[in-house]
Amino acid sequence: MTQQEQKDHGALRVTATQAAAHVDPARLLHAIAALARFGARDDGGVDRPALSGRDLDARRYLIERAHALGCTVTTDHCANLFIRCAGTEDLPPVMTGSHADTQPSGGKLDGCYGVLAGLECIEALNDAGIRTRRPLDVVVWTNEEGTRFQPGAMGSSAFVEPALIDRYRAVSDASGVTLADALSAHSDAFPSLATRNETQAAHAFIELHIEQGPQLEIAGRPLGIVSGIQGVRWYAVTCTGVAAHAGTTPMPARRDAMTLAIDVRADIDAFAKALGQHDTRVTFGRWSVVPNSINTIASSVTFTVDFRHPDEAVLAAFDQQIAQCAARPDVMLEALFSHEPVGFDAALLTRLGEAADALEAPTLTLTSGAFHDAMYLAQHCPTAMLFVPSRDGISHNPLEHTDDDHLVLGTRALAHCLATLCNEP
Ligand code: HGY
Ligand code: MN
Ligand code: MN
């Protein structure tokens, strides 16, 4: 390194350290509690479906907070929110952020923590009087969870592959509301939001998220450097039978859709575990039964399959086997979502490691079991993720919890990394 480069490098580190030091724990924790009020459940969890009224209220809170920070807010064709802290130069932005929609019985942190930590980093930069060269965008990606509208990660995927939006707009939720309806309700709620007109790819995307698993806690490490995300497959299986009276219909005369569904589920469970061995994650999370009456034999049963694995070949074999398994009378298979395993950018992982070192925080390098918007952003620009521990590895559950000092440490590491990236040439 030349003398000047060494001087610049030193100045960058000082700025990054100052940004990290100005993260305000009370302000961060207050924001987490405030956002959790939108869709708060009695059991301490959060139920905030994507683009629901509660989600629009939460977005209003985030937009108001962004404007109070001196940021501009724009949106796009999938209602992603881009909260921009201006840079001193017209350079491609650094992006951070996550999602604000939750599971029906979700926690306060999944996605929300990454959005609020991003806003906290902007506030810390302001408090430290730091103006960065590059703009910093904190993004709220729409419908990451995919529970209201399938597939998941709609906002980030429609950002990197704009043509997807046409298919997405036709998707409807359980009550028949289409994404197109929900998007126009969003435009009606925020008529003055300008459309993002950024043409250049971002300089980098860093997503801070809770691990949602037990690895960091078991290893006793407060920060996780996430090297990649395992692959995912979502399917819906519909089994058809004939509705009939539960009391009068002899067993041999029945065509019970539930009996067929339980049989198909057992086959899928068996080959998923055989294919993926120890790394298999297979879940049959949502069931819908028609007519769903205690004394009528089911005429139709639809259940979902969520399969995850780090190996692309296993995922491809699963696709083949589930198609074979469904090729039988009265069974219909629908593919809902598919993403291959993703590896993150090595240089960004180094930056995250430097941030952790600067904060003297031990780290663990791991692969994410959950998918995240970062899996799509990796197509758009250099991308990486940072994790903090989840107590007992619990998530997608009102008991989801991360210790305050870990939440603060993760935000300080994010601030350090963003300040560095935003001042890179
Ligand atoms: O399902 C997932 O992995 C994410 O939490 N939505
Ligand atoms: Mn998430
Ligand atoms: Mn989630």
Side-chain angles (χ1 to χ4, degrees):
M1 246 195 255
T2 63
Q3 223 173 5
Q4 184 54 43
E5 281 167 341
Q6 276 174 351
K7 204 162 145 271
D8 293 349
H9 188 71
L12 271 185
R13 292 177 70 83
V14 168
T15 303
T17 306
Q18 282 171 342
H22 279 80
V23 166
D24 180 328
R27 188 168 58 197
L28 172 70
L29 300 175
H30 172 78
I32 290 170
L35 189 62
R37 282 201 281 276
F38 301 103
R41 290 164 47 101
D42 295 343
D43 56 11
V46 183
D47 175 11
R48 193 168 60 237
L51 298 178
S52 60
R54 300 168 219 162
D55 192 28
L56 299 185
D57 292 342
R59 284 164 169 251
R60 188 168 293 105
Y61 161 79
L62 293 168
I63 292 167
E64 285 165 2
R65 175 132 183 248
H67 288 149
L69 285 175
C71 298
T72 54
V73 185
T74 56
T75 189
D76 69 0
H77 61 179
C78 203
N80 295 309
L81 294 181
F82 301 90
I83 296 167
R84 170 158 294 191
C85 175
T88 57
E89 298 174 34
D90 182 20
L91 290 167
V94 171
M95 289 175 125
T96 188
S98 191
H99 60 94
D101 62 303
T102 75
Q103 287 286 323
S105 56
K108 298 184 175 68
L109 299 170
D110 179 0
C112 307
Y113 170 53
V115 171
L116 295 170
L119 287 177
E120 176 55 35
C121 290
I122 289 177
E123 198 135 16
L125 289 166
N126 289 349
D127 290 353
I130 297 170
R131 290 293 310 277
T132 58
R133 295 178 60 183
R134 294 178 177 277
L136 172 58
D137 287 353
V138 177
V139 188
V140 182
W141 298 112
T142 299
N143 190 40
E144 186 277 346
E145 291 292 0
T147 54
R148 183 182 180 194
F149 301 106
Q150 289 82 40
M154 271 190 175
S156 48
S157 54
F159 174 73
V160 298
E161 297 172 41
L164 288 171
I165 193 68
D166 294 332
R167 174 161 66 89
Y168 288 170
R169 287 175 59 84
V171 172
S172 57
D173 67 10
S175 57
V177 176
T178 64
L179 180 78
D181 300 334
L183 289 173
S184 43
H186 185 270
S187 314
D188 296 346
F190 305 108
S192 57
L193 271 191
T195 301
R196 175 183 172 87
N197 64 6
E198 188 70 59
T199 47
Q200 307 174 77
H203 179 61
F205 177 70
I206 302 278
E207 182 167 5
L208 173 61
H209 205 285
I210 53 173
E211 178 199 338
Q212 301 180 289
Q215 297 185 61
L216 289 177
E217 187 175 62
I218 291 167
R221 305 283 172 83
L223 290 180
I225 308 278
V226 187
S227 53
I229 300 178
Q230 69 176 343
V232 54
R233 295 290 189 272
W234 281 2
Y235 285 93
V237 178
T238 298
C239 297
T240 306
V242 175
H245 195 296
T248 58
T249 313
M251 295 312 283
R254 294 178 178 216
R255 279 181 55 201
D256 186 334
M258 182 56 84
T259 307
L260 178 56
I262 298 292
D263 198 29
V264 173
R265 181 204 176 283
D267 286 353
I268 296 171
D269 190 63
F271 70 70
K273 288 169 181 169
L275 279 173
Q277 298 296 317
H278 169 75
D279 287 328
T280 279
R281 303 284 185 274
V282 62
T283 311
F284 305 88
R286 176 189 283 163
W287 290 72
S288 50
V289 183
V290 174
N292 207 26
S293 162
I294 189 166
N295 49 357
T296 299
I297 296 165
S299 57
S300 172
V301 173
T302 298
F303 63 88
T304 57
V305 187
D306 177 322
F307 180 70
R308 313 277 177 114
H309 201 275
D311 182 336
E312 210 160 336
V314 170
L315 291 154
F318 180 82
D319 289 334
Q320 265 182 343
Q321 292 217 23
I322 197 168
Q324 283 162 9
C325 169
R328 56 197 274 192
D330 298 330
V331 178
M332 189 186 74
L333 182 69
E334 183 190 359
L336 298 176
F337 184 28
S338 166
H339 203 282
E340 299 314 320
V342 165
F344 288 139
D345 180 85
L348 278 189
L349 295 173
T350 304
R351 277 272 181 265
L352 287 171
E354 287 166 358
D357 293 347
L359 297 164
E360 295 172 0
T363 63
L364 175 75
T365 297
L366 71 169
T367 301
S368 175
F371 65 72
H372 302 282
D373 294 303
M375 70 184 171
Y376 282 104
L377 270 292
Q379 294 172 25
H380 173 77
C381 66
T383 293
M385 290 189 74
L386 184 64
F387 275 172
V388 291
S390 292
R391 184 177 62 189
D392 301 332
I394 290 175
S395 182
H396 285 193
N397 180 316
L399 293 175
E400 183 178 276
H401 176 85
T402 296
D403 292 351
D404 291 352
D405 54 347
H406 290 156
L407 292 172
V408 174
L409 177 62
T411 306
R412 291 195 197 281
L414 181 68
H416 189 285
C417 188
L418 293 175
T420 303
L421 293 171
C422 283
N423 282 321
E424 277 182 341

